[in-house]
Amino acid sequence: MPRPTARRLLWEPLKRRFGWMVLFEWRNKLLLAPGSIPLRCFEDAEVRRLAAQLRRPPEGLVATVIATHRRPEPLRAAIASALAQSVPDQVVIVVDDGAGLPELPDDPRLFAVSLARNIGVAGIVRNVGVRLTRSRYVAFLDDDNLWEPDHLSRALAALTGRDGSPAADGVYTALRRVLPDGRDHDVLSVPFDRRRAAHEAFLDTNAFVARRTPALHFSRLRRRPEVLPREDWEMIRRYARRHRVRHVPEATVRYLVNPASFFSDWRDAC
């Protein structure tokens, strides 16, 4: 039997103590932090430019931010599912990552902007959308996923305590993960535990709705597909440091599992 290396002898107790995702994120901040400065400058400049273009700031009880890039048909489906929510007091803001916007529905609740150039950093695209809105609550939907009509109403009931539980600052519902051929893959439903989140990748912003606070922003690190953990995990876990986050076990999100792109196999997490 091969003897464990010194690196592994050090890694295993650290992983048990802090969680492998936390360790990876410390590494990300060390290696990728220098590149975040120009990304933050780009984000600030785009917020100023696009705010000047909008006739009025998008404002409703809930603002849904949809980041998109060259997916016109799935985008229109995602927008339709967002506008079909049973919560009437809402706005939807689409932020295109520099590819140009397709033809979109004519709806006074829908706002759409395009970045000056492709930045390729999901966190920056979403941050622009968050900062352009003025809503009390913010939700997130990717351009290839869909919501059930009661997604926002269930989230708001949990946020305000109308469902009989203590009010929360942020909630995430269960994800129904769907294969490209339409078959169900699984349902991701994990009660929130910040310590558990250090070891498992079960947090996804498509299911997350939160009260707007200064903590509600994504990191400005350039996370390529091979960089773990993803910006979803980082933002929700950081938000939960000083805010109450809870889980709603009903599956209200239809999440496309695309084999050609990243998705978390949470059952096999390290």
Side-chain angles (χ1 to χ4, degrees):
M1 179 181 295
R3 297 177 62 185
T5 63
R7 181 179 178 182
R8 186 169 184 82
L9 288 172
L10 178 63
W11 167 254
E12 289 302 324
L14 287 174
K15 186 172 73 171
R16 287 193 298 270
R17 172 67 177 84
F18 297 105
W20 73 272
M21 300 187 75
V22 172
L23 295 176
F24 274 44
E25 184 61 13
W26 289 349
R27 178 179 181 273
N28 292 339
K29 290 178 178 178
L30 179 64
L31 297 180
L32 303 178
S36 68
I37 298 173
L39 289 173
R40 176 61 191 263
C41 292
F42 176 82
E43 178 187 313
D44 291 344
E46 286 299 279
V47 169
R48 291 192 298 268
R49 181 181 70 85
L50 295 171
Q53 288 183 8
L54 292 172
R55 292 170 296 175
R56 57 185 173 89
E59 186 171 6
L61 179 62
V62 188
T64 298
V65 176
I66 302 180
T68 188
H69 183 72
R70 292 182 177 171
R71 284 176 174 157
E73 292 305 323
L75 171 63
R76 282 188 276 265
I79 291 171
S81 77
L83 293 175
Q85 292 298 296
S86 57
V87 174
D89 188 9
Q90 60 142 332
V91 292
V92 176
I93 181 163
V94 175
V95 184
D96 160 59
D97 191 9
L101 287 162
E103 184 177 352
L104 298 178
D106 182 14
D107 191 299
R109 299 169 297 169
L110 176 63
F111 299 78
V113 296
S114 188
L115 300 186
R117 62 179 175 86
N118 174 250
I119 196 67
V121 180
I124 297 295
V125 182
R126 290 167 174 162
N127 283 347
V128 170
V130 173
R131 294 175 63 184
L132 287 173
T133 65
R134 294 293 180 268
S135 297
R136 181 178 182 183
Y137 299 105
V138 182
F140 303 93
L141 180 61
D142 290 344
D143 62 1
D144 57 347
N145 297 316
L146 303 172
W147 284 341
E148 302 295 347
D150 62 345
H151 172 69
L152 289 182
S153 63
R154 286 186 180 274
L156 288 173
L159 287 166
T160 59
R162 292 201 311 269
D163 63 352
S165 300
D169 299 300
V171 301
Y172 63 97
T173 62
L175 286 173
R176 184 177 306 281
R177 303 204 296 190
V178 181
L179 298 171
D181 62 7
R183 290 181 296 120
D184 285 358
H185 176 66
D186 61 15
V187 172
L188 175 58
S189 182
V190 181
F192 185 72
D193 182 323
R194 195 166 182 273
R195 176 62 184 167
R196 182 175 181 176
H199 300 267
E200 299 179 22
F202 59 84
L203 300 173
D204 187 276
T205 50
N206 284 274
F208 190 59
V209 186
R211 181 169 58 87
R212 179 191 299 276
T213 77
L216 192 66
H217 67 85
F218 292 86
S219 74
R220 280 96 179 179
L221 302 183
R222 186 177 292 278
R223 298 173 192 264
R224 295 180 173 85
E226 66 274 11
V227 175
L228 297 176
R230 306 302 294 165
E231 62 277 342
D232 305 60
W233 174 91
E234 189 279 335
M235 191 271 280
I236 298 175
R237 190 171 185 275
R238 172 170 42 79
Y239 187 86
R241 187 179 300 147
R242 293 184 174 86
H243 298 81
R244 178 181 173 84
V245 172
R246 56 172 290 224
H247 175 55
V248 175
E250 287 78 16
T252 64
V253 181
R254 293 185 63 82
Y255 180 93
L256 177 64
V257 175
N258 186 350
S261 64
F262 174 88
F263 76 96
S264 300
D265 191 353
W266 63 278
R267 296 167 302 176
D268 298 327
C270 295

